[in-house]
């Protein structure tokens, strides 16, 4: 049943949100829990929903009175919500990285953050210290019998998927060399070439950038083993957080960025604060043939991309002689300056993320673009079984108002064909993180399943887990989370 027929944009709450409600979610996680049964506030947990919902995000934002400059610099903390027979249990653990252990013992920042956090002490102590602290805070995925906490500038940390105990840095059975970068945004191929696999990458940046494209088995006795591997080099500095896949291609968008390392080297700025958009630059699509596809022995393709900055892609697929990719575009790179407080940012001064579709003609190397939704959005996803295929629906977190930037307060289901939509909103005093679509099975309708989303209730100063019907976003259940958790980044689902 399609409950997102083409209708005018929904009239949304347009009043001014309370900045204190929004910023009050930023805090340190003060407690680690083990298998606590979540209290049901309303509704009923669907009994057919069985499995584990993992989330990652910054859990340590302040040490001895000093706050991180940007929440992206906070140490990673994993949550696990296990669903079974209509009940949900909750566990959480910090990722015990070497740097986390050192800073816990010292009760101060011993490392600089990529997004501007400085070491505790005199400003001169930051001069010349270009070490990167692996904060393992961006994503969490299960690969074989290990849970991986990901941060894209370094290697993954392996955790026990049941207890969340940290086992240390992982080389993935020797696939990674020490200190090698490993993406925090893998894509899971549902089985375009018989067997499902995890497709991911690492990038070495500079005047010339090299992408290492890797594919890992996810099922059977060889789960976790590297099964394909290639490297491609491109001119220019690469700032890449995400990519997309089709059966034949891995698609990257090289944002038109400059990197001036001097302020980072002398201790004035974090590495990410040294990025700026090229006013006369042009972004590029890099299309790398997948080893399992029809063009595996061919070189990568380089094609001009539309103007704008992209963190996240929704999906991609192939159609005739074209590759279509859907992405969230910003007019410029959104950043928090050295003298700004992230808890008091003015959303009106930051560019809004807008979902757009690019059609890349592989014969002419020309690209056409169309806007799919004018509403500010982030964290968009399709049904995982449609990864790399033409999908009819997507689900995403959005601002509460129709136009302009704002905090994420609603979940929107968008029909990608006729652009009809429906939504569930937590405004005016609620705020959402990334929604996760859990399909009921691989054989039903594309929108059969559930949406899981962690929210922040500004009125009651608490986190809540909300379960929605993926078909029409009708409310299924709300459960109370026993501890306060800052806004998270990415999460994943593992069937029981």
């Amino acid at each position: 049943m399609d409950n997102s027929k083409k209708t005018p944009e929904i009239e949304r709450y347009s009043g001014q949100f309370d900045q204190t409600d929004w910023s009050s979610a930023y805090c340190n996680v003060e407690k680690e829990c083990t298998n606590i049964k979540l209290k049901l506030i309303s509704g009923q947990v669907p009994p057919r929903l069985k499995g584990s919902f993992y989330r990652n995000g910054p859990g340590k934002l302040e040490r001895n009175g000093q706050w991180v400059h940007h929440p992206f610099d906070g140490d990673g903390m994993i949550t696990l919500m296990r669903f079974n027979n209509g009940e949900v249990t909750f566990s959480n653990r910090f990722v015990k990285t070497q740097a986390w252990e050192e800073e816990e013992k010292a009760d101060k920042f011993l490392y600089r953050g990529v997004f501007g956090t400085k070491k505790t002490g005199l400003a001169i102590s930051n001069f010349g210290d270009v070490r990167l602290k692996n904060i393992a805070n961006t994503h969490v995925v299960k690969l074989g019998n290990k849970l991986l906490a990901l941060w894209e500038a370094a290697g993954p940390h392996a955790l026990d998927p049941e207890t969340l105990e940290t086992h240390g840095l992982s080389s993935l059975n020797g696939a990674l060399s020490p200190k090698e970068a490993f993406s925090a945004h893998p894509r899971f191929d549902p089985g375009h070439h018989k067997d499902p696999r995890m497709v991911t990458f690492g990038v070495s940046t500079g005047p010339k950038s090299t992408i290492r494209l890797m594919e890992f088995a996810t099922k059977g006795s060889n789960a976790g083993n590297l099964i394909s591997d290639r490297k491609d080099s491109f001119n220019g500095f690469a700032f890449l957080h995400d990519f997309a896949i089709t059966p034949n291609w891995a698609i990257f968008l090289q944002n038109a960025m400059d990197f001036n390392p001097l302020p980072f080297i002398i201790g004035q700025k974090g590495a990410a604060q040294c990025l700026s958009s090229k006013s006369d630059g042009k972004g590029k699509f890099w299309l790398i043939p997948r080893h399992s596809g029809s063009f595996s022995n061919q070189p990568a393709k380089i094609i001009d991309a539309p103007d704008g900055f992209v963190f996240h892609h929704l999906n991609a697929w192939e159609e005739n002689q074209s590759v279509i990719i859907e992405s969230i575009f910003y007019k410029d790179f959104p950043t928090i300056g050295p003298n700004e407080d992230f808890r008091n940012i003015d959303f009106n001064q930051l560019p809004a993320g807008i979902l757009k579709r690019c059609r890349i003609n592989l014969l002419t190397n020309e690209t056409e673009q169309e806007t799919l939704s004018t509403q500010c959005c982030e964290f968009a996803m399709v049904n995982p079984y449609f990864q790399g295929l033409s999908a009819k629906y997507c689900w995403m977190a959005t601002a509460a108002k129709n136009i302009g930037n704002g905090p994420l307060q609603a979940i929107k289901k968008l029909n990608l064909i006729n652009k009809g939509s429906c939504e569930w909103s937590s405004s005016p005093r609620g705020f959402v993180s990334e929604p996760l679509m859990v399909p009921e099975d691989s054989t039903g309708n594309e929108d059969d399943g559930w949406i899981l989303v962690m929210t922040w209730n500004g009125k009651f100063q608490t986190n809540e887990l909300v379960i929605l019907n993926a078909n029409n976003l009708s409310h299924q259940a709300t459960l109370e989370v026993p501890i306060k958790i800052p806004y998270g980044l990415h999460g994943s689902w593992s069937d029981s």
Side-chain angles (χ1 to χ4, degrees), residues 337-469:
N339 298 318
E340 295 179 274
D341 183 343
F342 72 86
R343 293 164 293 176
N344 293 308
I345 60 171
D346 183 353
F347 283 92
N348 293 322
Q349 300 303 311
L350 294 175
I354 303 299
L355 183 63
K356 298 183 179 182
R357 176 184 292 149
C358 294
R359 181 178 293 271
I360 305 168
N361 189 311
L362 300 180
L363 296 180
T364 65
N365 289 345
E366 295 178 341
T367 300
E368 298 178 352
Q369 187 184 64
E370 66 172 309
T371 297
L372 298 175
S373 173
T374 58
Q375 186 185 7
C376 177
C377 69
E378 255 300 346
F379 301 127
M381 74 174 299
V382 298
N383 181 319
Y385 291 114
F386 284 76
Q387 187 80 236
L389 302 176
S390 177
K392 185 176 182 179
Y393 303 110
C394 77
W395 296 263
M396 54 191 177
T398 68
K401 56 185 181 180
N402 289 320
I403 301 295
N405 203 349
L408 302 175
Q409 293 188 275
I411 304 300
K412 179 177 180 177
K413 177 192 177 187
L414 178 67
N415 185 313
L416 295 165
I417 298 175
N418 64 27
K419 302 180 184 178
S421 63
C422 60
E423 77 163 22
W424 174 87
S425 178
S426 68
S427 64
R429 302 195 67 180
F431 305 88
V432 304
S433 294
E434 176 190 60
L436 187 77
M437 193 277 174
V438 181
E440 186 160 6
D441 57 51
S442 61
T443 60
N445 295 324
E446 183 181 336
D447 54 352
D448 285 346
W450 302 274
I451 302 299
L452 308 180
V453 59
M454 184 79 83
T455 69
W456 174 252
N457 188 320
K459 179 179 181 179
F460 296 109
Q461 296 286 289
T462 187
N463 291 98
E464 295 168 349
L465 173 63
V466 175
I467 305 171
L468 307 172
N469 184 311

Side-chain angles (χ1 to χ4, degrees), residues 39-50:
K39 177 184 176 182
L40 186 65
I41 298 174
S42 62
Q44 180 180 3
V45 177
R48 299 191 307 278
L49 188 55
K50 296 181 179 181

Side-chain angles (χ1 to χ4, degrees), residues 138-182:
T138 310
H139 204 346
V140 56
V141 298
K142 192 175 180 183
L143 182 64
N145 60 0
K146 293 293 185 183
L147 194 67
L148 302 179
L150 305 177
W151 184 67
E152 60 205 23
H157 281 79
L159 291 80
D160 186 292
E162 300 296 326
T163 67
L164 305 183
E165 176 186 0
T166 302
H167 292 165
L169 280 167
S170 172
S171 69
L172 299 181
N173 299 323
L176 304 178
S177 60
K179 299 183 179 180
E180 182 176 358
F182 189 75

Side-chain angles (χ1 to χ4, degrees), residues 22-43:
W22 172 77
S23 65
S24 61
Y26 289 114
C27 62
N28 280 346
V29 175
E30 301 291 352
K31 183 180 180 181
E32 292 182 327
C33 303
T34 301
N35 294 331
I36 293 179
K37 181 180 176 181
L38 294 188
K39 177 184 176 182
L40 186 65
I41 298 174
S42 62

Side-chain angles (χ1 to χ4, degrees), residues 88-346:
V88 185
T89 58
F90 175 91
S91 301
N92 72 295
R93 292 287 185 278
F94 278 95
V95 185
K96 306 301 195 303
T97 68
Q98 179 182 338
W100 185 90
E101 298 277 11
E102 293 172 357
E103 292 186 337
E104 281 290 290
K105 183 177 180 180
D107 195 25
K108 62 181 180 180
F109 291 111
L110 303 175
Y111 295 84
R112 297 169 62 193
V114 169
F115 288 86
T117 303
K118 295 185 177 181
K119 295 162 60 176
T120 304
L122 300 175
I124 192 64
S125 67
N126 294 276
F127 183 89
D129 188 349
V130 295
R131 295 175 299 164
L132 293 179
K133 172 187 173 185
N134 186 340
I135 46 181
N137 73 353
T138 310
H139 204 346
V140 56
V141 298
K142 192 175 180 183
L143 182 64
N145 60 0
K146 293 293 185 183
L147 194 67
L148 302 179
L150 305 177
W151 184 67
E152 60 205 23
H157 281 79
L159 291 80
D160 186 292
E162 300 296 326
T163 67
L164 305 183
E165 176 186 0
T166 302
H167 292 165
L169 280 167
S170 172
S171 69
L172 299 181
N173 299 323
L176 304 178
S177 60
K179 299 183 179 180
E180 182 176 358
F182 189 75
S183 169
H185 224 298
R187 294 282 175 168
F188 285 85
D189 180 329
H192 297 312
H193 302 283
K194 186 179 178 180
D195 295 320
R197 56 186 64 186
M198 185 181 84
V199 188
T200 190
F201 69 97
V203 59
S204 175
T205 61
K208 197 176 187 69
S209 298
T210 299
I211 291 178
R212 182 185 181 192
L213 184 67
M214 296 165 276
E215 304 201 13
F216 293 84
T218 59
K219 300 291 185 181
S221 59
N222 67 336
N225 290 344
L226 182 67
I227 55 177
S228 71
D229 189 6
R230 68 174 281 170
K231 290 184 178 180
D232 294 84
S233 294
F234 303 88
N235 292 326
F237 178 83
F239 182 87
L240 303 171
H241 171 64
D242 192 12
F243 74 127
I245 61 170
T246 69
N248 291 304
W249 302 97
I251 306 107
F252 298 83
L253 201 164
Q254 177 202 26
N255 294 293
M257 304 292 292
D258 273 326
F259 178 65
N260 175 15
L262 182 60
F264 173 56
I265 294 170
I266 65 177
Q268 292 182 345
K269 293 183 178 182
Q273 294 176 309
C274 297
L275 293 167
S276 61
S277 296
K278 290 183 179 180
S279 58
D280 59 346
K282 190 72 177 175
K284 302 289 184 181
F285 282 118
W286 295 341
L287 280 71
I288 301 178
R290 292 181 57 191
H291 176 76
S292 53
S294 302
F295 313 108
S296 60
N297 295 321
Q298 297 186 15
K301 291 180 175 289
I302 304 174
I303 298 173
D304 285 347
D307 293 339
F309 179 89
V310 171
F311 277 121
H312 291 124
H313 303 285
L314 167 61
N315 191 30
W317 73 95
E318 300 167 36
E319 188 175 280
N320 299 324
Q321 297 297 321
S322 295
V323 169
I324 298 92
I325 181 168
E326 295 160 338
S327 315
I328 298 172
F329 277 81
Y330 295 83
K331 288 184 177 179
D332 198 1
F333 174 55
T335 187
I336 298 175
N339 298 318
E340 295 179 274
D341 183 343
F342 72 86
R343 293 164 293 176
N344 293 308
I345 60 171
D346 183 353

